[in-house]
Amino acid sequence: MTTANNSTTPATAGGSKASLPPIKSTEENHFGVLLLIVGTIKIIFGLLFGIVFLVIFLLVTITGIGPLIEYCQSKRDEKEALNHDVILQAHPEMFLLDVPGDINKASGGMAYRVMVRLTKPTSDDDTNNANNLPPVIFPGGLASNLMTMSRHQDELTKQHGFTVVNFDRLGVGLSDPYPTNFNRQPPSAVDVAREMNFVMSHCESVLQTKYKWICVGGSMGANVATAFMTLYPNRIGGFFNLDGLPHAFLQIQCKKFLKDGQMIMNMMRRLRWTGLPRLAFRLALQSTLPVMGDAFTTRQLIGVMCRDQFFVATGLEYTTLMSCCDLECAAWGKQATTECNDESLRLLASLAPDESVIINEGKGIIPRSVTTERSKSELGATYLTRADDEFMAFEETFRLLALKNPDDVDKTKTHCNWPTPPKHPVGNFVGGVESDTTIYPLAPQFKTLVVRILCARNYTGIERDYIQEARNHAAARCTLQTLMSDDGKVYYYPRLSHLNLWQQVTEVVAITFEMSTAIQEQECKRHF
């Protein structure tokens, strides 16, 4: 095997980290005139949109029509659609779980309730089959709730007999809101990990299975899952990363990301009384409502996003997401993509996916097909393979950087409040890692995990602000997670955006089932 040279060696303490100059894509658009025209068109459309919005705003507020409709709709939501008693009566698979106040410090020490939805087969035959399948859990994404992926949950149970757990974190969806008498501080990664562990432990008391959990994490849910693994090792048997956000995206653009996100939430919260947010959500979700299934009504899906609780929780969880990424980064150590030099990042980002897939189950249905198509975000003209000499040399050295023991983890990189936290660009976290908390490295855990990653590579939607460096880190993170797993696969979707990817229900269900088969095969090998 070729010996690694300096150009392919991951960054060490004195190396140049990838957070310096961004790696440029060879397919960048160099047509300045065309870009100028496109930019001008965007400005014109932006001005027109602003004028239309102002006219609608004045119309609905001055006449009082908007506020009146919103008041009536909100009262109806509270009485019917979002009333806990009504929901629990209609959904026997759901329950409110009492959580002690010391689980999530963002609760201000007060006990609270989280809404849990646990679906499992109803017939005896299916129940016996479920006991031979790994249980599945969905940690929610940013601005989502247990209704968002309810169809995924129902299809996994109906088609394959999985027992599936979905829940809303403190302040999210149908769970209790943050206490009004508490100085609202965002939950830390430790808070949401402890909460997830509490829910899983409760559900395990009613499950009968010999397998570890499959964790299907969409967007922020994938970051919550990795944060969970750093504190609760060996609870997860399968990690399904459904386009989780790369730490580097937040690190590189965190101030803009948090400022823009929190600004939007604060603005929507202030406009809630006008009824405009409800109208905006209805228009935005119109095409995706069929994908969400029929377990919940349109009024419930829209209404849960029009409450003050939604805007408060989403605004706070922008910082929670950053905390999860920090904890994950610390648990990867020198293997974190933010610790790699530019050449190492290029190699990680250039590795070929197991499949590039064209599919769309949403608007304009496109059946699944495997393609050689590459998005403009990919580096170079062709992908690298693990058999290429330069990658083989890099991989050999890269694996030597893996953290093996908790003592090797640099806790200061979690930016949490122990014992004297370093200054963080996004503020302090109320929970954080206590000085006696053990953080478990991710590399040894990923070695035994069944890992599947779905990565959206179309950045033409709201993700267009992702700079090329952040896009490279997204691809590199996929390689990192699959490279460290003995059974890892990554799928690229060159025509899907981040928001489109979670709508691919059939794809998610099929890959989850394939993961369960791989886990069962692993279990058989251990016993024979």
Side-chain angles (χ1 to χ4, degrees):
M1 185 174 290
T2 308
T3 304
N5 56 38
N6 292 335
S7 64
T8 58
T9 303
T12 57
S16 171
K17 293 184 181 179
S19 56
L20 297 176
I23 300 172
K24 300 293 184 181
S25 171
T26 57
E27 298 187 20
E28 285 184 345
N29 193 333
H30 296 292
F31 300 101
V33 176
L34 179 60
L35 287 177
L36 180 61
I37 294 173
V38 172
T40 304
I41 293 173
K42 287 182 179 179
I43 292 173
I44 293 173
F45 273 100
L47 291 172
L48 290 174
F49 176 80
I51 293 171
V52 172
F53 176 83
L54 181 60
V55 171
I56 295 175
F57 175 76
L58 292 174
L59 180 65
V60 300
T61 53
I62 292 176
T63 61
I65 295 175
L68 178 61
I69 293 176
E70 178 60 28
Y71 175 81
C72 295
Q73 295 279 26
S74 296
K75 289 298 181 182
R76 187 176 174 186
D77 286 345
E78 293 174 10
K79 185 178 180 180
E80 301 174 10
L82 303 179
N83 181 282
H84 280 163
D85 293 335
V86 174
I87 290 174
L88 294 175
Q89 185 174 2
H91 293 274
E93 80 280 8
M94 295 174 65
F95 58 91
L96 283 166
L97 178 62
D98 293 317
V99 182
D102 61 348
I103 294 293
N104 188 331
K105 293 184 179 179
S107 70
M110 299 176 60
Y112 60 96
R113 300 172 304 169
V114 297
M115 184 66 81
V116 181
R117 185 170 187 244
L118 192 158
T119 55
K120 54 184 180 179
T122 53
S123 70
D124 291 338
D125 289 341
D126 288 340
T127 300
N128 292 331
N129 181 48
N131 294 337
N132 292 316
L133 289 171
V136 179
I137 186 164
F138 286 83
L142 183 66
S144 70
N145 55 75
L146 62 77
M147 298 186 222
T148 307
M149 297 187 73
S150 58
R151 186 179 162 213
H152 304 69
Q153 179 173 6
D154 291 340
E155 292 299 321
L156 282 168
T157 299
K158 291 175 184 177
Q159 288 187 33
H160 301 294
F162 281 102
T163 296
V164 187
V165 175
N166 204 343
F167 71 101
D168 286 333
R169 293 184 289 272
L170 169 65
V172 175
L174 299 172
S175 292
D176 285 346
Y178 292 98
T180 55
N181 61 344
F182 178 60
N183 181 22
R184 288 170 178 161
Q185 293 287 338
S188 72
V190 179
D191 291 323
V192 294
R194 275 197 299 249
E195 189 176 73
M196 180 173 164
N197 181 65
F198 187 85
V199 172
M200 290 169 64
S201 297
H202 174 84
C203 293
E204 283 171 345
S205 65
V206 298
L207 301 178
Q208 297 178 359
T209 178
K210 60 185 177 181
Y211 297 107
K212 299 176 183 177
W213 294 79
I214 293 177
C215 187
V216 182
S219 189
M220 176 181 170
N223 303 97
V224 172
T226 48
F228 172 83
M229 285 188 279
T230 66
L231 301 176
Y232 300 95
N234 304 317
R235 296 288 306 277
I236 303 295
F239 174 56
F240 193 164
N241 179 346
L242 190 55
D243 210 34
L245 292 173
H247 177 276
F249 161 64
L250 298 175
Q251 185 185 69
I252 296 165
Q253 299 180 260
C254 67
K255 289 184 178 180
K256 175 176 171 51
F257 176 75
L258 291 160
K259 181 181 177 181
D260 290 353
Q262 292 172 347
M263 179 187 69
I264 292 171
M265 287 299 107
N266 289 334
M267 181 182 70
M268 297 285 275
R269 185 183 179 194
R270 292 190 181 100
L271 291 175
R272 189 171 67 92
W273 65 277
T274 67
L276 288 176
R278 187 180 295 270
L279 175 62
F281 287 137
R282 179 172 287 277
L283 292 174
L285 295 177
Q286 195 62 41
S287 61
T288 64
L289 287 174
V291 181
M292 294 183 178
D294 55 8
F296 298 94
T297 66
T298 300
R299 172 171 290 279
Q300 288 172 323
L301 293 166
I302 301 296
V304 77
M305 300 177 68
C306 296
R307 298 188 297 177
D308 187 72
Q309 174 180 343
F310 170 80
F311 303 111
V312 171
T314 304
L316 291 175
E317 284 207 332
Y318 273 94
T319 307
T320 306
L321 173 56
M322 188 71 196
S323 177
C324 290
C325 290
D326 284 341
L327 187 54
E328 176 188 349
C329 190
W332 279 117
K334 290 295 182 182
Q335 289 184 314
T337 63
T338 48
E339 295 292 317
C340 292
N341 60 28
D342 290 342
E343 179 63 7
S344 299
L345 181 62
R346 180 189 70 81
L347 291 166
L348 286 170
S350 300
L351 189 67
D354 289 88
E355 287 183 354
S356 285
V357 179
I358 302 297
I359 190 173
N360 195 346
E361 296 181 43
K363 188 176 180 180
I365 297 176
I366 300 175
R368 189 184 198 277
S369 63
V370 178
T371 180
T372 57
E373 180 179 322
R374 292 157 54 88
S375 78
K376 293 182 179 180
S377 296
E378 311 308 335
L379 298 179
T382 58
Y383 289 116
L384 292 174
T385 71
R386 290 179 68 172
D388 290 335
D389 287 343
E390 62 174 335
F391 196 88
M392 290 175 66
F394 161 77
E395 181 178 347
E396 181 181 28
T397 307
F398 186 73
R399 287 183 177 278
L400 296 176
L401 297 176
L403 299 182
K404 295 181 174 61
N405 302 305
D407 292 340
D408 297 332
V409 177
D410 183 356
K411 287 187 178 181
T412 61
K413 290 190 176 179
T414 65
H415 292 106
C416 292
N417 60 349
W418 85 272
T420 52
K423 184 176 176 63
H424 195 285
V426 300
N428 298 321
F429 304 123
V430 69
V433 179
E434 309 292 347
S435 58
D436 59 348
T437 299
T438 301
I439 300 177
Y440 295 88
L442 286 171
Q445 296 187 66
F446 267 75
K447 180 175 175 56
T448 61
L449 284 178
V450 172
V451 177
R452 299 293 182 268
I453 303 174
L454 274 57
C455 185
R457 299 297 285 167
N458 183 345
Y459 295 97
T460 57
I462 63 173
E463 304 92 343
R464 61 183 177 273
D465 288 336
Y466 282 31
I467 62 175
Q468 185 60 44
E469 184 182 3
R471 300 177 188 185
N472 296 341
H473 276 278
R477 183 172 180 254
C478 293
T479 299
L480 164 63
Q481 293 182 347
T482 53
L483 195 65
M484 300 311 295
S485 168
D486 288 344
D487 188 352
K489 295 179 182 178
V490 59
Y491 303 87
Y492 279 2
Y493 298 82
R495 297 188 190 178
L496 293 181
S497 68
H498 181 75
L499 294 179
N500 294 143
L501 190 55
W502 70 266
Q503 301 174 33
Q504 313 311 311
V505 180
T506 302
E507 186 84 344
V508 172
V509 170
I511 292 176
T512 305
F513 180 69
E514 185 267 326
M515 289 177 69
S516 71
T517 303
I519 291 173
Q520 289 171 324
E521 291 174 354
Q522 278 188 357
E523 191 69 20
C524 289
K525 290 178 181 178
R526 289 193 186 100
H527 288 84
F528 295 100

